[in-house]
Amino acid sequence: YLGEFAINEVDEKNRRLKVELSQIPAVQGAMMTLNAKNGEIIAMVGGYDFYTNKFNNAIQAYRQTGSCFKPFIYTAAVEWGMTPDTPVSGAPISIGGWQPHNYDGSLGWADMPIKTERAKSMNIPAVHLLQTVGIQTGSQMVRRFGIKVPMSPYLPSALGATEVPLDQMVSAYSAFPNKGIRVEPHMIRKVLDRDGGPLEEWEHTTYKVMNEYVALTMVSMMRGVVQGGTATAAQSLGVPLAGKTGTVNDHTDVWFIGYTPTYVTGVWMGYPGKKKPLGNDMTGGKGALPMFIDFMKTFLKDKPKEDFAKPPGMPEDMKELFRQRQRELAAERAELAAEAEETADPNATPATTTGEPKL
């Protein structure tokens, strides 16, 4: 209950102080930077002040991830036989009273290619994708990324309903720039005795999450988030970047996880230990992204400018999957068109297709 002040000026003659209120914020944040190629944790901030609260929000806080969870579902879709140009339904969804909506409040949208949805972070197409590939397939993919928290077995998981700590999310994202390989994160390379002999040494532990084609296809789509999506402000850094913003329902948590070909940095912000709105305008792009930019601006100064590798050609074993999905999608659309024709009012005036979003 004591107010904290920073003393700016002391007037000893008149016994006056000029002070500035230095208030401990209720909102906390966390940040972590990881080297995707070797798994080394470069930087970690777990909260505002270790001396006032020793809880590390970077590794101990389990929070809903919002749209930052979507890349795992889209990875499953690409591996399942879809491509960035595959159209995804934006039709309204209503299941047992649950009706998801996009960030702008709309309950439906025009069909769009996966790469466009990725950049704009639309919610309803993401739910359709999880419904298409299957919850079990999505859940298995999440485990392959090293997320230790089981994905909740229902469709809202596509929108980040699962609670995951920041360090696991950053480690999972490191598989994208590292061409599908995730290296186990670590903070200590080796421990030596007083004579310089090794007592302990980190074992180079790696996990193959996906093949190179899938990983770099996802990088290509996630670059769209920076180039023309919800994180365009990151272009100010002047280096090739990919990533994803995340905003949880009611604006209780905001995220941004971005990466270069070598470094992955994740930022989270929210009220520690409780779900409390940060404000109606607070999103991943407005709350977490500025912190990412501020840090990376200094961090990347002495680092060589790198560009992402281009995705290789689709592997032969995936081409048949792709052709199969194309046939399935064509059959599904033909069936929907036939149903629409059967139920159409013959006296109705034909509608004009404009390509505008269906609200």
Side-chain angles (χ1 to χ4, degrees):
Y1 297 102
L2 295 177
E4 293 192 7
F5 295 87
I7 300 174
N8 293 335
E9 209 172 290
V10 179
D11 184 346
E12 293 184 0
K13 181 179 178 181
N14 298 312
R15 299 181 62 81
R16 298 282 182 185
L17 296 176
K18 184 176 284 188
V19 299
E20 182 181 344
L21 181 63
S22 180
Q23 196 170 6
I24 297 176
V27 174
Q28 293 273 339
M31 189 189 75
M32 176 179 283
T33 297
L34 185 71
N35 185 317
K37 295 180 179 178
N38 60 25
E40 293 183 356
I41 297 174
I42 307 298
M44 180 170 63
V45 178
Y48 177 72
D49 186 350
F50 180 76
Y51 294 101
T52 58
N53 188 351
K54 294 176 175 56
F55 185 83
N56 189 335
N57 289 289
I59 61 176
Q60 293 177 288
Y62 285 71
R63 309 291 297 212
Q64 289 187 339
T65 58
S67 293
C68 281
F69 204 80
K70 290 179 183 176
F72 308 142
I73 307 305
Y74 281 82
T75 301
V78 172
E79 193 171 271
W80 196 71
M82 296 185 177
T83 71
D85 295 312
T86 300
V88 185
S89 173
I93 298 173
S94 182
I95 302 173
W98 176 65
Q99 194 168 19
H101 57 80
N102 296 309
Y103 178 74
D104 62 1
S106 60
L107 297 174
W109 204 264
D111 295 358
M112 62 179 65
I114 287 180
K115 61 185 179 184
T116 304
E117 191 288 326
R118 222 33 343 271
K120 302 299 182 183
S121 194
M122 306 295 286
N123 287 338
I124 294 173
V127 178
H128 277 293
L129 265 187
L130 180 56
Q131 197 171 29
T132 300
V133 303
I135 291 175
Q136 185 64 27
T137 300
S139 180
Q140 289 172 355
M141 178 58 71
V142 169
R143 285 200 297 271
R144 282 163 53 183
F145 270 99
I147 301 296
K148 299 173 185 177
V149 184
M151 187 187 91
S152 303
Y154 45 74
L155 291 177
S157 291
L159 307 180
T162 305
E163 296 182 341
V164 185
L166 177 66
D167 66 325
Q168 291 184 29
M169 291 295 292
V170 172
S171 175
Y173 269 58
S174 69
F176 294 123
N178 202 35
K179 300 180 180 180
I181 305 298
R182 186 179 71 86
V183 185
E184 186 69 21
H186 58 285
M187 299 183 73
I188 299 173
R189 293 173 184 163
K190 61 177 66 175
V191 179
L192 307 177
D193 62 20
R194 62 183 181 182
D195 299 318
L199 293 174
E200 287 185 44
E201 193 166 351
W202 177 75
E203 295 181 7
H204 192 78
T205 308
T206 61
Y207 305 88
K208 184 172 181 179
V209 179
M210 59 202 137
N211 65 39
E212 184 177 338
Y213 164 78
V214 174
L216 294 180
T217 297
M218 287 300 301
V219 169
S220 176
M221 286 197 287
M222 294 171 78
R223 290 192 71 181
V225 175
V226 175
Q227 292 168 339
T230 57
T232 53
Q235 293 180 32
S236 63
L237 292 171
V239 298
L241 285 169
K244 188 71 194 76
T245 55
T247 307
V248 176
N249 283 351
D250 301 323
H251 307 269
T252 59
D253 300 79
V254 294
W255 298 70
F256 180 72
I257 305 176
Y259 52 88
T260 68
T262 298
Y263 299 102
V264 186
T265 296
V267 177
W268 164 85
M269 184 171 68
Y271 284 93
K274 56 186 173 183
K275 306 283 286 182
K276 183 179 177 182
L278 293 165
N280 289 335
D281 292 331
M282 190 57 68
T283 63
K286 291 183 179 179
L289 180 60
M291 288 188 274
F292 171 89
I293 294 171
D294 192 49
F295 169 76
M296 295 295 279
K297 193 178 297 181
T298 302
F299 177 71
L300 293 175
K301 271 184 179 178
D302 60 344
K303 309 292 188 299
K305 189 174 181 179
E306 302 176 277
D307 206 349
F308 293 100
K310 293 183 178 179
M314 184 182 290
E316 289 299 322
D317 60 340
M318 292 185 67
K319 286 182 179 179
E320 180 53 38
L321 268 178
F322 169 70
R323 287 189 284 266
Q324 181 181 335
R325 300 311 171 205
Q326 292 295 98
R327 290 191 294 268
E328 290 172 355
L329 285 169
E332 182 183 341
R333 290 180 180 278
E335 185 179 342
L336 289 172
E339 289 177 3
E341 191 174 338
E342 287 177 9
T343 57
D345 182 354
N347 300 316
T349 304
T352 302
T353 302
T354 63
E356 291 297 315
K358 300 173 184 177
L359 302 179

